[in-house]
Amino acid sequence: MKQKQILLLHIFYWLLIVFNGIIGILVYDTRTFDILSITIFLSNFLGFYTNYFFVVPRFFDPKRFYMMIIGFFVGVFVFVFFRYSIEEIVLPALTGYRNYKEGTTFLYYFYDNIYYSSLTIFVSTNLWFFQYYFKVEAERTKLIEERKHAQLQALKTQINPHFIFNSLNNIYSLVYQNSDQSLPAIEKLSELLRYSTKDLEKDVISLDKEIGYIESLIGLEKLRIKNHEMLVFEKNMTNPKLGISPMLLVPFVENAFKHGDFRDKGFVLKVSDEHNVLHFYLQNFKNQRMKDTASGIGIENVKKRLEILYPKRHELNIKDLESEFIVDLRITFPHEND
């Protein structure tokens, strides 16, 4: 709750107090405020804010409930002390008028005013609790956001090394085969790295940029794959400027190229974004001759990022079958992303 809202609650309470006083005048037909109307209002005001700023913060302890009960009675005592001082000491000295009969003991006065003070102290205490609760909640939310940001930054640092490692493996195989495609592959890799390094610093990029990475990656991989027609890539982009976290889809494609069988088989990649729902579907056949115990690093990274960035707004289904690997991902974006 913002400070402005807390202030409005304070104003609302005092307007109720004033309104109650006006109703009292109309009901009892006194026509004017008497001096006791002023003294009780002043006692309420002083008791309210002394309790609010000093008593409650000092006695609040969730682990010791009895301290809060003591604090409540301290607040009552403060109210009674102010009212007694004003009505039974200051007022008689200035006007010769007092609220109670002369000789009334403080103990009797205290007991008689517990009722009158209870509402003021109760409201004062609860308003402090409101402010305290929302302050703690705001701090907790801030800590969660900072932790999420730190986690995302840590996960992002894992992306480039993983991406470079996979690409260098591909280029190594081209160099090893003395392929004429080695130099073009190095050039394409340098272009990809320039783009990825620049955009990884951002929290969000446009969907068409992410798809652009994928297209560049496919172009790099085509340099070492003979049967290009087996690489089926279908895209249906209705909102290319849809904001997405950078390098969120690329690791799935990297994984397909790293562990896929492209001798006589390929893969099918489909991307669409109808009605603010991104649908990413990838199916590739496994290379049974190549096993890599570290193959899940990139995918595990994406899973963690999805949980942080799109909680309850994404659905990721991965089928790791004997001969093929299927990724089916849906992310629902808010409409303000239009």
Side-chain angles (χ1 to χ4, degrees):
M1 182 175 286
K2 297 179 180 178
Q3 287 295 115
K4 183 178 179 181
Q5 293 170 303
I6 292 290
L7 178 61
L8 288 175
L9 286 176
H10 283 255
I11 294 173
F12 178 71
Y13 172 72
W14 292 113
L15 286 176
L16 283 179
I17 294 296
V18 172
F19 180 74
N20 182 64
I22 294 173
I23 292 298
I25 291 173
L26 296 176
V27 170
Y28 296 109
D29 197 28
T30 57
R31 302 297 179 188
T32 58
F33 281 108
D34 60 17
I35 192 65
L36 293 179
S37 298
I38 298 174
T39 59
I40 188 63
F41 180 85
L42 186 58
S43 301
N44 269 300
F45 189 86
L46 292 173
F48 186 101
Y49 286 108
T50 301
N51 183 67
Y52 185 85
F53 287 112
F54 301 104
V55 178
V56 182
R58 194 175 190 87
F59 284 88
F60 175 69
D61 187 347
K63 295 181 180 179
R64 295 186 295 176
F65 185 71
Y66 69 89
M67 287 295 293
M68 291 187 282
I69 295 176
I70 294 174
F72 179 80
F73 283 103
V74 170
V76 171
F77 177 83
V78 168
F79 172 91
V80 176
F81 173 79
F82 280 126
R83 189 176 184 190
Y84 184 85
S85 300
I86 294 170
E87 292 185 351
E88 305 304 318
I89 299 176
V90 176
L91 191 61
L94 295 178
T95 65
Y97 180 78
R98 63 193 325 127
N99 187 14
Y100 286 69
K101 293 180 180 180
E102 189 173 356
T104 300
T105 64
F106 181 79
L107 182 63
Y108 177 86
Y109 195 92
F110 179 85
Y111 176 79
D112 199 43
N113 276 273
I114 289 177
Y115 168 79
Y116 296 106
S117 64
S118 294
L119 178 62
T120 292
I121 301 306
F122 178 79
V123 173
S124 173
T125 300
N126 277 278
L127 280 179
W128 185 90
F129 281 146
F130 279 139
Q131 185 176 26
Y132 174 81
Y133 171 78
F134 287 112
K135 180 182 177 182
V136 170
E137 190 65 20
E139 291 175 350
R140 190 180 72 86
T141 302
K142 183 179 179 182
L143 286 174
I144 291 174
E145 291 301 317
E146 289 176 349
R147 186 168 63 227
K148 285 183 178 181
H149 180 72
Q151 288 175 335
L152 283 173
Q153 291 304 110
L155 289 170
K156 281 183 178 182
T157 61
Q158 299 174 10
I159 294 175
N160 262 337
H162 185 71
F163 173 72
I164 295 170
F165 178 77
N166 288 345
S167 300
L168 286 177
N169 270 349
N170 297 335
I171 294 173
Y172 173 81
S173 65
L174 292 173
V175 173
Y176 183 78
Q177 298 168 15
N178 293 319
S179 172
D180 294 337
Q181 302 294 338
S182 300
L183 290 179
I186 293 173
E187 184 179 356
K188 284 186 176 292
L189 174 60
S190 65
E191 292 176 1
L192 281 170
L193 287 178
R194 277 196 297 271
Y195 285 122
S196 63
T197 302
K198 179 181 177 181
D199 286 327
L200 268 177
E201 298 175 355
K202 302 176 182 177
D203 293 328
V204 176
I205 62 172
S206 59
L207 180 58
D208 59 346
K209 274 197 172 184
E210 182 78 357
I211 300 302
Y213 288 145
I214 294 174
E215 290 174 329
S216 297
L217 181 59
I218 292 174
L220 177 62
E221 295 291 345
K222 279 182 177 179
L223 296 176
R224 69 178 181 90
I225 297 174
K226 295 180 180 179
N227 302 319
H228 297 170
E229 67 278 0
M230 294 189 302
L231 304 180
V232 179
F233 182 21
E234 300 176 3
K235 59 179 181 178
N236 180 18
M237 309 285 288
T238 60
N239 188 1
K241 297 305 177 184
L242 195 70
I244 189 173
S245 180
M247 302 292 279
L248 194 67
L249 307 177
V250 174
F252 292 120
V253 183
E254 289 179 359
N255 187 74
F257 279 118
K258 184 176 181 181
H259 305 286
D261 184 355
F262 296 97
R263 290 179 304 162
D264 53 359
K265 299 175 182 177
F267 76 11
V268 175
L269 173 60
K270 298 179 181 180
V271 181
S272 64
D273 64 336
E274 296 179 354
H275 307 299
N276 271 37
V277 177
L278 174 64
H279 185 201
F280 178 91
Y281 177 87
L282 176 61
Q283 178 187 21
N284 70 281
F285 293 92
K286 292 181 179 180
N287 188 337
Q288 299 297 326
R289 299 174 302 164
M290 182 176 62
K291 300 293 182 181
D292 186 354
T293 56
S295 63
I297 293 176
I299 291 179
E300 287 302 317
N301 184 301
V302 174
K303 286 181 180 179
K304 292 175 183 177
R305 292 173 67 202
L306 285 169
E307 288 296 332
I308 294 172
L309 293 166
Y310 308 107
K312 298 181 180 180
R313 290 196 289 115
H314 78 277
E315 182 180 349
L316 176 61
N317 294 310
I318 295 178
K319 294 181 180 179
D320 191 357
L321 306 176
E322 184 177 351
S323 60
E324 60 182 347
F325 193 85
I326 300 173
V327 176
D328 193 344
L329 170 64
R330 283 180 169 83
I331 302 175
T332 302
F333 293 91
H335 289 289
E336 56 265 25
N337 218 328
D338 289 333

